[in-house]
């Protein structure tokens, strides 16, 4: 579940969106979690999940590094998320652990997100807070 940052040209805010998959992030149009506008520009400079600057991130950005990721397989997605977490060395918080644990149990990502409203709660706390430092945060 990649997280990208966008600038919303309607409300002039920087917002973050959590996508179910890399394919969705590429193919679906983003909607602002704050105002609902669709006039968004993705900030290519930073993917929040991969925000560390060191060179290992280049390896992760390499499509080959994602070769074993099956976005339709929750367990594969969980493995990938754990790998990314260990590469970044960051504490991604209890929500991350819960999401990954449930993926490993075979739950559908969409079901998990619906059952965890804090993922989309926006300001303060939750995964949004830990990733984005308080930007408006949405789940696509
Ligand atoms: Zn907006």
């Amino acid at each position: 579940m990649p997280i990208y940052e966008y600038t919303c040209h309607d409300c002039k805010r920087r917002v973050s969106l959590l996508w179910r998959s890399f394919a969705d992030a590429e193919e679906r149009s983003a909607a602002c979690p704050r105002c609902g506008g669709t006039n968004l520009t993705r900030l290519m400079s930073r993917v929040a999940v991969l925000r560390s600057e060191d060179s290992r991130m280049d390896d992760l950005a390499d499509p080959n590094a994602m070769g074993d990721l099956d976005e339709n397989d929750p367990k594969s997605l969980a493995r990938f998320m754990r790998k990314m977490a260990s590469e970044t060395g960051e504490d991604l918080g209890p929500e991350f652990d819960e999401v990954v644990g449930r993926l490993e149990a075979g739950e559908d990502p969409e079901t998990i997100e619906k059952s965890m409203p804090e993922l989309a709660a926006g300001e303060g706390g939750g995964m949004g807070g830990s990733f984005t430092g308080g930007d408006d945060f949405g789940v696509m």
Side-chain angles (χ1 to χ4, degrees):
M1 288 183 280
I3 297 171
Y4 291 107
E5 293 198 346
Y6 298 81
T7 295
C8 174
H9 297 286
D10 293 330
C11 67
K12 311 295 184 193
R13 291 289 296 253
R14 196 173 72 176
V15 299
S16 301
L17 291 175
L18 172 68
W19 293 90
R20 287 183 60 201
S21 71
F22 289 96
D24 274 1
E26 296 302 324
E27 293 166 12
R28 293 174 52 189
S29 56
C32 175
R34 183 176 182 84
C35 71
T38 54
N39 191 13
L40 303 186
T41 299
R42 192 161 85 191
L43 303 176
M44 298 301 291
S45 59
R46 188 169 79 129
V47 176
V49 174
L50 305 177
R51 68 183 169 181
S52 297
E53 298 290 334
D54 66 69
S55 62
R56 287 176 303 159
M57 294 303 109
D58 293 336
D59 296 335
L60 278 175
D62 184 338
N64 293 329
M66 301 177 186
D68 63 349
L69 173 63
D70 177 354
E71 289 161 352
N72 296 313
D73 176 2
K75 292 177 184 174
S76 175
L77 192 58
R79 251 195 327 271
F80 178 74
M81 289 174 72
R82 279 207 192 285
K83 182 181 170 191
M84 285 208 301
S86 68
E87 291 280 347
T88 63
E90 294 185 50
D91 179 4
L92 298 176
E95 292 88 356
F96 180 85
D97 289 336
E98 178 173 348
V99 168
V100 173
R102 290 172 69 172
L103 286 170
E104 286 174 335
E107 280 195 60
D108 181 78
E110 194 167 12
T111 305
I112 296 170
E113 282 164 18
K114 280 181 180 159
S115 71
M116 295 180 69
E118 63 269 29
L119 287 181
E123 301 283 332
M127 187 179 276
S130 65
F131 275 125
T132 67
D135 289 348
D136 287 290
F137 185 80
V139 178
M140 294 301 294

